[in-house]
Structures are given as C-alpha cells and as structure tokens.
C-alpha cells in the first residue's frame, strides 16, 4: 500500500485541480450571462437586472436555483433515453475541452501534444448532442432547428480548422503551450499580424460554431421558437445553456492562445500569471456580446453560403500565403 | 413508440419530401393571433394559407345595434396601435353621412393626432420588423420615442391605447399649452432619432441582404392584390388618400409622398422611414398654424361635454330608440349610403355606411387594410423561405385587431 | 371624367342591365344586374382605368324601411388612381338563388373579400377558387350578419363547451390545491 502513496497523491491533486477548474469556469459562465444582460441592457438604454442583490449581482444564482427547482417535463412522444442523454453529451464534450487550455506557463491540466486537435474533436462531439436533442424531442420545430444547427456547426468547423492550420505551420506544433511560446518571436508577440486573414476567418467561424448572432438562426425566437431546445425545461435547459457559454469561453480561449499570445503581456503581474490570458478572453466575450446587441441575423441559406463560399477559400488562401512566407523567409 | 409521430400528417404518395407546419397562433413574430399553414419542401414554402378570425369580435354586427356615437368606441379597437387615426376615420365618414361641418381648430387637431398616431404606428412597425430580422436594439430605441408620444396621448385624452378622442362634430378636449410645448420639443428632437435608427440598420450588410429582393412585387401586381398604404407606394404607385381625397385639414398642409422603386422589403422600409420624417414636418406645421376657435360645432349630436348652459336637451331615455330629441328637427338621418376612406398608418381604412333614417346605422362595413394585406400574403408567400416569410409579414405591416374586426 | 358622366355612359352602353343611378352626398351609385357584373366591372377597369378595388361587401336588405328589390346586395366600390374618380356598384341578389359571379379574375385581392361576404352573409360566389369560411371558426353554423341572426345567441359555441369539459378533466392533475405565498412567489 505504501508503494502507491505517491500515485494516490498525484491522483488526488489532479482531482483537486479539476474541481478548481470546474468551479472557476462554471462561476465564470454564470457571470458571463449576468454581464451579457447588463451590457446589452445598457446598450439598449435600459438597466438590465437590478433587483436581486446590489445591481443584480446575485441574478445568476437566482437563475440557477430556479432552473434546479423547475418541473422536468419530458414530452410524451419523445424518445426518452436520447432525450435525456442529449444535454449531457453537449455539456460533457464542452467541459472536456477545458482540460487542455493553458492559462499560464505550466497552468494546464493536461499538456498533451495534440491539444488543438483534441479541442476540435470535443466540439464536434457537442454537435452530436444537438442533433440528438432535435430528433429525440419528436416535434417538427425542434427537428428543423436541430437539422439547421447541426448543418451550420459542421459547415463552420471546416473553415475554423483551416484557419488554425496557419498557426500550426508558424509555430510548428499542435501543443497549445508551445504555440504560445512560439509567438514570442513575432511582432508584439502575437500572431495577429502575420495571420490577419486567419484571425478574420476564425472570428467569424467562432461566432457560427457557438450559435451566436448573426448566426443564431437555429435558436432564434422569432423563427422557430428556440429550435432544438424548445422542449427542454429546468435543469436540462440549463445544461444546454451552460454548454453554449462554455463553448464560447473555450473558443475565446483558443483565439487568445493561437492569435493573441496566450498569457504574454507587456509586463508581468506578480502572483497572478494568468492575468493577461483572462483579460484577452474577457475582451473576446465583450465582442461577442456587443455584436449580439447590434447586428441582425443572417438567413439560413446566406449563412451557409458565407461559410462555404467565402470563408473556406479565404482560409485556404491563408494557408497558401503562410506556406509561401515560411519558404521565402527562413 | 410511434416512429412516424414527427411527420404525422399524411401527405400524398410521391410527396414525401413535403411536410406541413403551422406557424402560430402563438408565435413571437406574427404580430397578433395569426396562424399560417405552410407546406414546406425543406426550407421553401410551397403553399401558404393564412388563417385569421382569432380576434373576430363582430364589430359590424354590433354596430347595427348601437348609435353612431356609441360605435365610435369600437373603432379604437381596430388598429389598436394607432387608435387616433381610426377615430378620425370614423368621424370623417359619419360626418359626411350626416352633413355635419367641423370647426377649423378641430380639423387641425385631428390632423395633429392623426400624424402622431402615424408616428406611433410606424415606430412600432420598425421595432417589430427589426426584431423579427434580429436587430434587438432598434426595438428598444423605437419604444423610447413611442413612450413620449403615448404620454402625450395620456395627457390629451386620458388613455394611451384606446383613446376615443374625436367626437361627431369635433374633438373631445382641447390641447393645453403644456402639451404643445412637449410636442414642440419632441418634433425638434425626432429627426435625430430617425437618424439613430438608420445608422443601426440602413447600411448594414446583413440588413440589406435580408431585405433587398425579398417580397418583391411590381406596381400592377400590388394594385391587383388591392394593397394600399406604404406597401403599395413601395412599388411606385402614387396613391395616398391625404392627397387624392383630402380630409380634415390636409389640404392646408404641405408635405410629400415618398415613393419606392423596386417594390421589395427595402423599398417599403425606406418609404415608411421617409413617411415618418414627413409626419414630423406636418406636426411642425400643425403647431405653427393651429387656429383658435371652438373644438366642437354647435349642432353636434349629443355627448358633447360639458353641455353648454342654456341649451335645451331632451333625451329620450328609452334604450330602444337611440335618437336624441335635440336634433330631431334636423334632417340629418337621411336615407342613403356613403363610403369614406382615410389614410391610417397601415393603409386605406374605409367605412361604408348605409343609413336607414334612424339613429343607428343599418349597415356598417369596415374596409380594413390589414385584412387585405394578409390575403395578399397567400400569394406573396409562395416560393419563399420561412425566414423570408417572417420578413414579409413584417413588411406588410398587419395588425390582427384591424384584420378580424 | 366625373362619376355621374361615367354612370351615364355606362347606362348608354349596357342599357337593360343598369337598373338605376343614385347620387347621395356627392357619391354616385349604380344599380346593376348581377348577371353582367363581371362584364361591367371589367369595362370600367379597362376603359375608365378604375384599377383599384376599394371595397367589396354584402348587405342584407330584410329590415330596410325603403322599398328594395331583392334581399341581398353586393356592393363594389371602385376607384381610379389615375383619374381620381370613384364609383359604387350594387348588384342585387334574390334570396332564392344566392349566387353571383366572382371577380377574382379581375383582382386577386377580391378573394378574401368575397370569402368574408360568404362567411358573414351566405352569398355564394361562382368560380371562386377557395370559398371557405374565414372569420368565424371552423364548423360554425349560420351566417352572422343576417338580420335574423341574434346578436347574443341562445347557446354557447360547442367548441367552448368542449374546452370547459377538458378543463374539468385536467383538474385531477392539480397537485397544489391552493398555492402558498412562497410557492406563488417570485418566479420569472
């Protein structure tokens, strides 16, 4: 027994790290919803939540408690095992992607050499949950919504992956920590300038992957009454909601790591290395919220045309130019 | 477990790609209780069949049992977004039937409230149209301006929504100095507000992509579908009742009628934005040119408050009769019929009265623009996508209260 | 051309079919034979450019004080956008044979207006593509705007009766007989 004390301690430490990470991320998710409501409110000449707690700060906790206590409605004709499994698949896939994100030098849960590929795999798994939800609810609206959403997510995964190929070529690795360290050799230690086209494609693909405005047709209220999540209520709805926001944060983190230099900053902050990383992720999230308050949404065929006819050729062009750059400038 | 429960409405053999979907009546985008039965092939609509009647309250039947003055209250509930315009339309029709002359000040007041309600109607149209297409912020900005107008309505006649402001022979109450001051400030600030809405959506690529080419109809097709109002003017047909058959004080007002060219959603949108600017200009002229004088004519049918001292009124209180003895010596209730149309924000609102010589109309028919526009939806909705259908319902500017009466 | 001149010209063209011209408060009405209504309206639409159909409604003449020929009437209000003239046509329909030709071939927009007239008065339009009830619910019996139809009926609509029965049935699922203050409290 004494032989395995070290292994047991290691496992306990990892479990503790997972718990801390989950706690921090879920708290962030809750408060991103609060800040979204506040920021959109102020942009729309109104206040947002004000009543629960000082200026509404306890609102997300109230929402969480509410969804916990709501009645769990399963439609009679729904396919019960799939209906119950769909939100779980979405949430677990998105949470698993958090394991490889580097918040600072050495602050990563699983420093694997195929970090970027792992994240793509996990976000593809999440789209599996979406189509299951649409199908299992056994209603026409959700079915249409699920189909649309899945087609959108799959179409935009391609330009997203292609836009990151440029980053992979410049840094020479799929390991997220190494991508960040490789960026120190570029202008201002970020890949934004050499990979400007790639960033543009990635940003738009990011909006479409997370079903945010202007690509939120599958869950637009005025079109199909919430699309594939129409039939969900209570905790399961909260799970889908959380999966969407965690997806937003994961995508923002990828953008930060690959294009904005991860945890690099103009000056080091003592005692808190992830400071710049967190600031950049917050910047991305603010951009998401700002775009939601301002822009109308695309029609479905225009959305698909944008992904296939504009973004993929741009991403391929980016790869070509990056390759050229790498050959000509050793 | 029933595998076919999802697509359970049977379709004919060979048509397995089509399926039927019902949009509404509870739906955030259908502007009231409207149900649209769609037959879809993927995203494209093959057959579009709107179903109305959820809000049918039987105004035409009710009108036959109530006096002309009592029927005025029903007209608020037609287009409840711009209630004043309906009141003005009704009073114009009945006054022409009974040959009652309205004093000058009342005419100007009617024009003023008509244009204010045109603004409220168009602001709500813009808010919901933009919200349907996805721009949430325009919705709240429009309601901010609408709030100012509704507060003015409340100060003027006591109600924000169902105003019943006009009376047969004039208007209910005169404007106070405070109301004119507030209206003055509003009219000064409003053009800047329209610019604010336009910066958000007018040149936005997504908005242009969603509205240009959507729901396009030519001028002849629009007249064939009996469209009126901005839906017709967007296709280039110059038909505005305020210019063709002027009523109230419109012949003394100087304004233009914006016309569109292409006849699609974007053209109608620009038409209505320009109409808002013209309404603002008319309001400015109303404030400047308002003549002094009485607000009700001397021999108006009853329900003028307060009753002038010294005027003898004998009221026949038996409920069946409905005649007020005061005007029995006037030969107003002649037999005959009349059709009078006015320009409300939604289009042409017409009242057709048949009078039998009694105090109650024999027949009142309301020609409502929204009813005809939803009828046009059945033609315009074929072959478009579902997202475009929502945009088309928005651009035709329907209100179900007016449609169903 | 002024409406009264148009009316006189029409009377010259379709002599037997025009039963009378009436003028009241400046508006001209023509009484026409219902069998030639489509011909007359298409003549007006082509030759006098009356391209806008303002109004189409039906009237039940049963309780009129003045003399009338037939029980039902269909009223057409036409307007010429170019010439700015309007004209009204009335076609009378006997109670025994409540049919008249439809003008959907001239205006697609007349489709719903004629459906409404059918729904409220029971006048059947020949060659109408889709003559169904429009304002009253499905399965409604009777035509509400007829003079003998009571304003407040005797029985409740049977659809409402079914709804009330269903509400009583569903009361068995009501777990909370009386919601307490906390339960009925702040819920979004």
């Amino acid at each position: 027994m004494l032989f395995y004390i070290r292994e047991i301690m290691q496992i306990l430490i990892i479990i503790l790290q997972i718990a801390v990470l989950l706690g921090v991320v879920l708290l962030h998710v809750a408060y991103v919803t609060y800040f979204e409501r506040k920021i959109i409110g102020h942009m729309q000449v109104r206040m947002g939540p004000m009543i629960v707690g000082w200026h509404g700060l306890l609102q997300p906790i109230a929402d969480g408690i509410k969804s916990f206590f709501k009645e769990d409605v399963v439609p009679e004709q729904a396919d019960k095992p799939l209906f119950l499994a769909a939100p779980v698949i979405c949430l677990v896939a998105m949470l698993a992607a958090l394991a490889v994100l580097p918040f600072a030098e050495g602050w990563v849960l699983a420093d694997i050499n195929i970090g970027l590929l792992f994240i793509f795999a996990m976000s593809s798994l999440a789209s599996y949950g979406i189509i299951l939800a649409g199908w299992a609810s056994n209603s026409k609206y959700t079915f249409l919504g699920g189909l649309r959403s899945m087609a959108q997510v799959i179409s935009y995964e391609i330009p997203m992956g292609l836009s990151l190929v440029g980053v992979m070529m410049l840094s020479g690795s799929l390991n997220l920590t190494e991508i960040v360290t490789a960026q120190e050799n570029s202008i201002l230690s970020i890949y934004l300038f050499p990979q400007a086209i790639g960033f543009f494609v990635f940003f738009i693909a990011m909006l479409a992957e997370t079903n945010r405005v202007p690509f939120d047709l599958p869950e637009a209220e005025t079109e199909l009454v919430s699309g594939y999540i129409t039939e969900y209520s209570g905790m399961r709805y909260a799970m889908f909601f959380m999966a969407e926001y965690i997806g937003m944060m994961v995508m923002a983190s990828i953008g930060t790591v690959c294009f904005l230099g991860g945890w690099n900053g103009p000056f080091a902050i003592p005692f808190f290395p992830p400071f710049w990383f967190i600031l950049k992720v917050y910047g991305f999230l603010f951009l998401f919220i700002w775009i939601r308050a301002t822009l109308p949404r695309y029609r479905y065929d225009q959305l698909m045309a944008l992904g296939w006819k504009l973004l993929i050729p741009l991403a391929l062009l980016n790869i070509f130019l990056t390759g050229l750059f790498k050959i000509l400038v050793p | 477990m029933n595998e076919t429960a999802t697509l359970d409405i049977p379709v004919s053999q060979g048509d397995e790609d089509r399926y039927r979907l019902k949009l509404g009546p509870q739906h955030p985008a259908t502007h009231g209780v409207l149900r649209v039965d769609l037959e879809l092939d993927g995203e494209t609509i093959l057959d579009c069949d709107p179903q109305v009647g959820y809000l049918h309250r039987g105004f035409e039947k009710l009108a036959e049992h109530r006096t002309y003055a009592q029927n005025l209250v029903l007209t608020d509930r037609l287009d409840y977004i711009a209630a004043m315009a309906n009141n003005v339309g009704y009073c114009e029709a009945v006054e022409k039937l009974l040959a009652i002359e309205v004093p000058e000040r009342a005419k100007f007041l009617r024009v003023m409230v008509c244009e204010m309600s045109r603004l409220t109607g168009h602001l709500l149209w813009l808010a919901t149209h933009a919200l349907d297409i996805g721009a949430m912020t325009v919705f709240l900005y429009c309601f901010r301006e609408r709030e100012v107008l509704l507060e003015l309505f409340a100060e003027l006649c006591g109600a924000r929504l169902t105003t019943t402001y006009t009376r047969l022979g004039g208007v209910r109450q005169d404007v106070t100095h405070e109301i004119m001051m507030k209206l003055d400030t509003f009219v000064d600030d409003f053009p800047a507000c329209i610019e604010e809405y336009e910066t958000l959506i007018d040149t936005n690529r997504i908005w242009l992509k969603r509205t240009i080419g959507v729901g396009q109809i030519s001028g002849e097709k629009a007249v064939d579908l009996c469209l009126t109002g901005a839906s017709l003017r967007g296709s280039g047909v110059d038909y505005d009742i305020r210019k063709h058959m002027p009523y109230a004080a419109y012949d003394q007002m100087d304004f233009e009628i914006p016309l569109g060219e292409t006849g699609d959603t974007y053209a109608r949108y620009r038409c209505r934005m320009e109409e808002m600017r013209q309404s603002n200009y008319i309001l400015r002229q109303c404030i400047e040119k308002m003549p002094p004088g009485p607000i009700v004519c001397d021999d108006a049918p009853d329900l003028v408050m307060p009753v002038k001292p010294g005027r003898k009124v004998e009221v026949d209180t038996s409920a069946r009769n409905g005649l007020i003895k005061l005007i029995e010596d006037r030969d107003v209730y002649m037999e005959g019929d009349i059709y009078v149309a006015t320009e409300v924000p939604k289009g042409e609102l017409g009242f057709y009265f048949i009078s039998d010589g009694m105090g109650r109309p024999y027949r009142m028919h309301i020609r409502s623009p929204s009813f005809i526009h939803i009828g046009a939806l059945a033609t315009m909705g074929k072959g478009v996508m579902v997202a475009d259908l929502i945009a088309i319902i928005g651009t035709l500017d329907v209100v179900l209260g007016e449609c169903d009466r | 051309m002024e409406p009264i001149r148009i009316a006189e010209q029409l009377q010259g063209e379709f002599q037997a079919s025009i039963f009378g011209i009436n003028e009241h408060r400046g508006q001209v009405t023509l009484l026409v034979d219902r069998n030639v209504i489509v011909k007359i309206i298409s003549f007006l639409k082509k030759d006098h450019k009356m391209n806008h159909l303002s109004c189409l409604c039906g009237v039940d003449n049963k309780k009129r004080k003045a003399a009338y020929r037939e029980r039902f009437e269909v009223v057409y209000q036409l307007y010429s956008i170019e010439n700015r003239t309007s004209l009204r046509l009335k076609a009378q329909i006997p109670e025994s044979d409540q049919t008249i030709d439809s003008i959907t071939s001239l205006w697609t927009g007349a489709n719903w207006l004629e459906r409404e007239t059918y729904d409220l008065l029971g006048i059947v339009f020949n060659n109408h593509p889709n003559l169904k009830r429009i304002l009253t619910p499905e399965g409604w019996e009777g035509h509400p705007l007829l003079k003998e139809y009571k304003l407040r009926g005797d029985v409740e609509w049977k659809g409402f009766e079914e709804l009330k029965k269903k509400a009583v049935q569903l009361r068995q699922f009501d777990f909370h007989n009386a919601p307490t203050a906390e339960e009925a409290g702040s819920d979004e």
Side-chain angles (χ1 to χ4, degrees):
Chain A
M1 250 273 287
L2 281 162
F3 278 103
Y4 298 111
I5 276 280
R6 204 185 320 143
E7 277 74 20
I8 294 175
M9 284 305 293
Q10 274 183 343
I11 293 176
L12 278 178
I13 289 179
I14 291 182
I15 292 179
L16 190 66
Q17 285 177 327
I18 294 176
V20 166
L21 181 63
L22 276 183
V24 167
V25 168
L26 289 178
L27 204 63
H28 264 89
V29 163
Y31 276 90
V32 164
T33 59
Y34 167 75
F35 275 108
E36 177 166 27
R37 288 169 73 171
K38 265 307 213 201
I39 293 174
I40 292 186
H42 279 277
M43 286 181 179
Q44 292 176 345
V45 200
R46 57 186 175 91
M47 306 278 267
M50 288 291 283
I51 302 202
V52 190
W54 182 77
H55 275 189
L57 272 171
L58 294 178
Q59 182 72 42
I61 302 181
D63 283 337
I65 297 177
K66 168 200 78 169
S67 24
F68 209 58
F69 280 109
K70 270 211 166 147
E71 183 184 343
D72 196 12
V73 177
V74 179
E76 201 179 12
Q77 300 276 28
D79 189 345
K80 219 162 170 191
L82 290 179
F83 189 82
L84 299 176
V88 175
I89 293 178
C90 253
L91 188 62
V92 165
M94 280 304 179
L95 282 175
L98 289 171
V100 291
L101 294 176
F103 301 102
E105 184 92 44
W107 285 45
V108 58
L109 202 54
D111 195 11
I112 52 180
N113 277 336
I114 49 159
L116 214 47
L117 197 60
F118 180 77
I119 294 195
F120 283 138
M122 286 298 124
S123 64
S124 302
L125 215 56
S127 64
Y128 194 45
I130 294 175
I131 189 59
L132 279 183
W135 173 257
S137 300
N138 213 349
S139 147
K140 267 184 231 183
Y141 276 128
T142 57
F143 184 53
L144 253 187
L147 277 181
R148 275 179 170 178
S149 186
M150 187 183 69
Q152 176 184 317
V153 165
I154 290 180
S155 326
Y156 278 85
E157 270 171 6
I158 303 176
M160 190 158 78
L162 286 177
S163 64
L164 288 175
V165 169
V167 170
M168 287 183 230
M169 285 163 78
L170 280 184
S171 64
S173 149
L174 281 171
N175 186 328
L176 290 170
T177 319
E178 282 178 27
I179 292 180
V180 175
T181 43
Q183 281 181 57
E184 285 161 17
N185 301 329
S186 320
I187 314 171
L188 280 182
S189 7
I190 53 179
Y191 271 160
L192 185 57
F193 300 107
Q195 290 287 310
I197 304 175
F199 180 70
F200 173 72
V201 173
F202 178 76
F203 191 76
I204 298 182
M206 202 167 48
L207 286 174
E209 275 291 298
T210 49
N211 277 338
R212 294 285 292 184
V213 177
F215 303 106
D216 70 338
L217 198 65
E219 49 185 51
E221 270 175 5
T222 52
E223 307 275 345
L224 290 176
V225 201
S226 285
Y228 60 94
I229 34 180
T230 314
E231 300 290 337
Y232 285 90
S233 59
M235 207 54 209
R236 300 180 204 287
Y237 176 74
M239 279 200 262
F240 269 119
F241 209 57
M242 278 198 284
E244 175 177 333
Y245 280 89
I246 293 176
M248 263 168 72
M249 297 183 73
V250 166
M251 293 295 156
S253 309
I254 300 293
T256 316
V257 161
C258 293
F259 293 99
L260 292 185
W263 62 80
N264 293 329
F267 51 89
I269 306 280
F271 302 117
F272 196 53
F275 177 74
W276 293 108
F277 183 88
I278 293 180
L279 204 65
K280 292 169 193 174
V281 169
Y282 284 176
F284 264 113
L285 292 174
F286 178 73
L287 268 179
F288 281 170
I289 296 174
W290 193 7
I291 290 178
R292 181 174 183 196
T294 320
L295 294 179
R297 69 176 67 94
Y298 268 113
R299 202 176 63 200
Y300 188 60
D301 64 325
Q302 294 164 344
L303 201 155
M304 300 296 271
L306 193 74
W308 289 93
K309 294 188 197 168
L310 179 69
L311 292 185
I312 293 183
L314 267 183
L316 290 173
L317 179 71
N318 181 45
I319 295 175
F320 176 69
L321 287 176
T322 311
L324 214 59
F325 175 74
K326 274 220 100 165
I327 295 179
L328 299 177
V329 181
Chain B
M1 192 205 39
N2 196 353
E3 270 106 359
T4 58
T6 314
L7 310 166
D8 55 356
I9 297 181
V11 291
S12 43
Q13 272 304 99
D15 279 344
E16 282 88 15
D17 276 338
R18 306 172 145 209
Y19 67 93
R20 303 213 177 104
L21 188 68
K22 290 197 206 306
L23 211 68
Q26 267 184 319
H27 191 97
T30 54
H31 301 266
V33 272
L34 167 71
R35 189 180 99 212
V36 187
D37 287 345
L38 300 171
E39 203 171 298
L40 299 173
D41 178 15
E43 280 271 324
T44 323
I45 297 176
L46 297 166
D47 191 23
C48 166
D49 187 17
Q51 307 281 335
V52 295
Y54 285 92
L55 208 51
H56 180 60
R57 292 153 287 181
F59 282 174
E60 300 184 0
K61 181 87 181 167
L62 271 176
E64 294 169 9
H65 297 253
R66 297 154 68 98
T67 65
Y68 287 101
Q70 286 173 322
N71 284 331
L72 178 64
V73 182
L74 297 176
T75 55
D76 286 323
R77 278 93 179 152
L78 281 177
D79 175 7
Y80 35 77
I81 294 171
M84 298 277 205
N86 305 335
N87 293 339
V88 168
Y90 178 83
C91 284
E92 290 290 324
V94 178
E95 281 153 13
K96 196 149 181 208
L97 179 69
L98 307 182
I100 300 175
E101 262 300 310
V102 173
E104 272 301 303
R105 188 177 172 88
K107 284 190 188 167
F108 273 82
L109 281 171
R110 283 184 181 180
V111 168
M112 187 178 92
V113 295
C114 221
E115 292 306 314
M116 281 166 79
S117 61
R118 193 177 311 276
L119 282 178
T120 54
H122 280 342
L123 281 170
L124 193 109
W125 161 79
L126 183 63
T128 50
H129 191 43
L131 187 66
D132 288 344
I133 297 191
M136 295 190 295
T137 314
V138 179
F139 179 80
L140 284 150
Y141 288 178
C142 287
F143 267 74
R144 191 186 47 188
E145 265 66 66
R146 209 165 168 262
E147 195 59 31
V148 177
L149 283 169
L150 291 178
E151 293 273 307
L152 282 175
F153 281 166
E155 241 185 278
L156 187 58
C157 62
R160 286 159 63 112
L161 190 72
T162 51
T163 46
T164 324
Y165 177 59
T166 56
R167 294 285 185 267
L168 297 176
V171 294
R172 163 77 173 82
Q173 207 167 342
D174 207 346
V175 282
T176 60
H177 185 67
E178 286 87 19
I179 296 177
M180 295 308 271
M181 289 283 102
K182 286 185 196 167
L183 190 61
D184 203 30
T185 335
F186 176 81
V187 168
D188 282 334
D189 293 336
F190 194 58
C193 297
I194 305 184
E195 301 246 339
E196 198 178 20
Y197 312 144
E198 287 186 339
T199 39
L200 267 178
I201 47 181
D202 207 28
T203 45
N204 186 319
R205 270 197 85 206
I206 304 179
W207 180 266
L208 294 176
K209 266 194 152 177
R210 286 297 297 267
T211 55
I212 291 189
V214 169
Q216 180 149 24
I217 37 172
S218 64
E220 293 94 44
K221 184 85 183 128
V223 175
D224 182 48
L225 289 169
C226 300
L227 299 181
T228 48
S231 311
L232 181 64
R233 292 194 283 273
S235 305
V237 180
D238 184 4
Y239 179 46
D240 186 328
I241 297 175
R242 296 176 290 170
K243 290 282 195 200
H244 280 228
M245 297 178 273
Y247 56 95
Y250 277 111
D251 40 7
Q252 302 173 44
M253 296 287 166
D254 170 35
F255 61 103
E256 283 173 9
I257 307 291
L259 289 177
E261 276 173 3
T262 44
D264 55 12
T265 305
Y266 188 70
R268 291 189 277 269
Y269 152 78
R270 290 247 32 100
C271 258
R272 289 195 178 102
M273 299 300 274
E274 281 306 311
E275 272 179 28
M276 283 206 271
R277 290 198 166 93
Q278 293 297 319
S279 289
N280 200 39
Y281 185 45
I282 297 179
L283 277 176
R284 159 75 50 219
Q285 293 171 61
C286 274
I287 298 174
E288 287 164 3
K289 292 185 193 169
M290 182 81 66
I295 53 168
V296 174
C297 68
D298 284 332
D299 49 1
D302 193 37
L303 295 185
V304 173
M305 292 167 68
V307 177
K308 275 205 286 229
R311 187 167 81 160
K312 285 216 179 77
V313 177
E314 279 176 56
V315 177
D316 183 355
T317 49
S318 72
R320 289 175 185 283
N321 192 314
L323 279 175
I324 309 296
K325 283 216 161 56
L326 171 68
I327 45 175
E328 218 175 65
D329 49 358
R330 256 187 88 190
D331 210 358
V332 284
Y333 291 134
M334 270 168 42
E335 252 213 79
D337 54 0
I338 200 162
Y339 174 78
V340 172
T342 52
E343 183 86 11
V344 296
K346 309 282 180 252
E348 171 189 345
L349 179 71
F351 284 93
Y352 175 66
F353 281 104
I354 298 184
S355 164
D356 212 13
M358 298 293 294
R360 303 189 174 113
Y362 181 79
R363 169 91 166 100
M364 171 172 102
H365 174 72
I366 304 171
R367 185 255 191 228
S368 83
S370 298
F371 183 70
I372 296 176
H373 290 191
I374 298 185
L377 189 69
T379 326
M380 286 172 78
K382 287 205 172 77
V384 299
M385 289 194 251
V386 178
D388 283 341
L389 182 76
I390 309 285
I392 292 176
I393 295 180
T395 187
L396 285 177
D397 201 7
V398 290
V399 166
L400 266 296
E402 193 178 50
C403 168
D404 290 341
R405 286 154 277 153
Chain C
M1 238 177 146
E2 276 193 19
I4 194 78
R5 307 276 157 263
I6 303 180
E8 283 166 8
Q9 187 190 22
L10 269 179
Q11 196 165 39
E13 283 262 342
F14 301 89
Q15 269 141 4
S17 313
I18 310 281
F19 298 148
I21 302 183
N22 192 6
E23 187 168 353
H24 182 67
R25 305 275 192 231
Q27 298 194 348
V28 177
T29 312
L30 277 157
L31 223 61
V32 289
D33 183 9
R34 66 180 169 131
N35 298 317
V36 287
I37 190 73
V38 180
K39 248 177 39 184
I40 295 183
I41 294 185
S42 50
F43 174 76
L44 280 171
K45 191 172 178 198
K46 265 202 316 277
D47 287 12
H48 290 280
K49 305 228 175 70
M50 297 229 151
N51 52 354
H52 178 64
L53 177 70
S54 294
C55 180
L56 200 168
C57 66
V59 184
D60 178 1
N61 279 328
K62 186 157 180 196
K63 294 207 175 141
R64 281 296 268 271
K65 284 190 167 165
Y68 58 90
R69 282 175 145 226
E70 313 283 4
R71 174 140 185 219
F72 292 107
E73 243 171 38
V74 178
V75 181
Y76 302 84
Q77 179 83 25
L78 301 171
Y79 183 73
S80 166
I81 296 179
E82 270 183 51
N83 303 334
R84 302 198 181 187
T85 44
S86 64
L87 191 64
R88 192 178 311 132
L89 296 169
K90 285 196 191 190
Q92 301 216 313
I93 300 178
E95 189 168 354
S96 49
D97 175 30
Q98 296 177 22
T99 59
I100 186 173
D101 288 329
S102 157
I103 59 168
T104 43
S105 51
L106 298 169
W107 280 281
T108 325
N111 188 322
W112 272 37
L113 289 164
E114 290 177 348
R115 268 177 77 181
E116 183 198 350
T117 315
Y118 162 70
D119 186 7
L120 296 178
L121 282 167
I123 299 173
V124 174
F125 288 85
N126 302 327
N127 308 323
H128 191 276
N130 186 18
L131 199 65
K132 277 190 328 207
R133 283 187 178 273
I134 189 167
L135 287 177
T136 52
E138 285 144 22
W140 194 267
E141 279 151 24
H143 298 279
L145 221 51
L146 295 174
K147 285 297 177 183
E148 62 258 15
Y149 197 93
K150 282 207 211 150
L151 179 63
R152 166 174 286 176
D154 296 319
V155 291
E156 233 163 35
W157 176 45
K158 68 174 186 319
F160 191 59
E161 297 280 334
E162 287 165 12
L163 197 66
K164 280 205 283 202
K165 274 198 221 124
K166 193 149 192 163
V168 170
Q169 240 183 340
L170 291 173
R171 214 169 279 166
Q172 54 170 308
F173 295 113
D174 189 2
F175 298 118
H176 314 282
N177 294 320
T180 60
E182 303 106 75
E183 280 165 317
S186 56
D187 226 301
E188 268 104 298

